[in-house]
Amino acid sequence: MSKKDTIICRCEDVTLEDVEAIMNEGYTSFEEIKRILRVGMGPCQGNTCGQLLQREISKFLKVPLNEVETHKVRPLITGVKLKSIVEATKDES
Amino acid sequence: MKAKIVIIGAGISGAGIAYNLANKGMKDIVVFDASYLTSGATGRCGAGIRQQWSSKMNCILAKKSVDFFETAQEVLEYPRSVEFKQEGYLIVATTKEEDLQFTENVKLQQSLGIPARKCTKEEALEIVPHLNKDAFISATFCPTDGHLNPFTMTEAYYLAAKRMGVKFFFNEEVTEIVVNNNKIEKVITNKRTVETAMVVNAAGGHSKEVGDMAGIDIPVYSENHEILVTEPVEKIQGPMVISFSLNIYCQQVPHGSFIMGRSTADQVRGHDVGSTHEFLDEMAKTAVHILPPLGDLRVVRQWGGSYNNSPDRQPIISDCSELPGFYLACGFSGHGFMFAPMTGLLLSEMIMGEKTSIDIKELHIDRFKNSDFTTYERNVV
Ligand SMILES: Cc1cc2nc3c(=O)[nH]c(=O)nc-3n(C[C@H](O)[C@H](O)[C@H](O)COP(=O)(O)OP(=O)(O)OC[C@H]3O[C@@H](n4cnc5c(N)ncnc54)[C@H](O)[C@@H]3O)c2cc1C
Ligand code: FES
């Protein structure tokens, strides 16, 4: 499969080709790549693509996988509708 | 290592100042950032660009900055898109007082060439049809306000500055500024020592600490402001919707997500940028109240960032009478992203000893000495 067709982040539609291009521009940390390409910013919050990107960075920098920092995990763990949050606060009071 | 000038911080301010200085022909410019590009408030901000302010100075800074943003892509020869979307800010009034104040604001804005206008409730509903008609009484609208991508805009400055020879060092923290006989001699980082006579403090949330390193007391403090983003959906809202009394700003970005934020009452001061469920609850309530259809959107992520506040909620763009060679770009009080082109231009003019494009006495740090500042920006969330 070509790099153009290899999807790293399916939520944000980012390919292996995109990732390699950005690393060649000099951005080799997860947070930088995320901010430019939106990898890991999708509804799954990087659950699917996090490790894939980590592996690509590790290969590119030729450092062990466990030395590549992944993205900061932020709330929420799964998407919740705004109105469900409003309903939940009503139940509490 | 030697440098003509050291800029501390590579957020939108530091990157913009570096670009403007290089553009004026200065050589040997060095920028240090303790982390990565846009790691501070810049990469965490609401990405909003607005010219509808209540103070004349903020109106002028915003308008002239918008003029630059409109051409930034070409001027900076940036290969990606800075995503400048000018579909306006709709500011809703919910009380009689706000309505009156907004009438005054619009007069001021129009006198400065900002195309803002007062809207009746009906006119506002034509601009944003899904607004709750019972949640407000009138509004103001400026069609050339909008949204700009904080990552790519900062990168555009960064790449242009780099092309002109500015040296950037990331993951390198400035820990000390050596001052002798009232002269800056060195900047020390966790990795090296740089001989320099000039320093720009563009350290955002940490500008007070950087001021302390040089023995300059800057009357700013930092506090956490929280924000969230929803899943992307089809485009339903062009303008940013904002209300000071309800404490909300909310806009759909080009990518389709809605971004919304509000300030937390009695927020403790400090460097915490964490997320709370109290914010999530209040944010959800306010958003669903004013824009009911948004209730169906799923929140995918929330985060926090630093507001670096000054006593009058206007920026400090200034040199220092106590320490020649020490320059300040801080205290942006939650609106420093949209002012960056002017921050960069004005500070670079000051540093090069040129006459500044506009008179900025009221942005000088000395205004706080005798508390002789007269304007206070009320229009903030
Ligand atoms: C939630 C939120 C929403 C916002 N919404 C908007 C908006 O819609 N529109 C708008 O215009 N503004 C908005 N703002 C404000 C805006 O983000 C800031 O005013 C602006 O980004 C400030 O940029 P800066 O470059 O001055 O600071 P920062 O982006 O904070 O950059 C400062 C940099 O300095 C570095 N640094 C600090 N100390 C040191 C040191 N000792 N050595 C080396 N480096 C150091 C940091 O690592 C950081 O990268 C918002 C802010 C927040 C938090
Ligand atoms: S696959 Fe990347 S965020 Fe979901």
Side-chain angles (χ1 to χ4, degrees), chain B residues 8-15 32-50 53 89 172-175 202-207 210 213 223-227 240 249 303-308 329-330 332-339:
Chain B
I8 306 174
I12 187 82
S13 304
F32 289 113
D33 197 287
S35 186
Y36 52 88
L37 191 71
T38 75
S39 58
T42 301
R44 298 158 179 274
C45 83
I49 304 295
R50 89 165 128 117
W53 293 95
Y89 257 59
E172 184 159 348
E173 187 180 351
V174 171
T175 53
H206 287 88
S207 52
V210 168
M213 288 179 200
E223 66 177 29
N224 187 17
H225 270 249
E226 294 185 62
I227 179 164
M240 171 85 96
Y249 61 87
W303 67 93
S306 211
Y307 267 30
N308 187 245
C330 58
F332 289 104
S333 310
H335 35 273
F337 175 60
M338 65 182 87
F339 291 169

Side-chain angles (χ1 to χ4, degrees), chain B residues 287-323:
Chain B
V288 175
H289 166 64
I290 185 167
L291 297 158
L294 300 197
D296 283 318
L297 300 184
R298 283 175 207 280
V299 180
V300 296
R301 185 168 61 250
Q302 62 175 118
W303 67 93
S306 211
Y307 267 30
N308 187 245
N309 288 333
S310 77
D312 60 2
R313 300 296 182 270
Q314 298 210 99
I316 303 173
I317 299 174
S318 177
D319 54 12
C320 284
S321 11
E322 287 89 0
L323 183 61

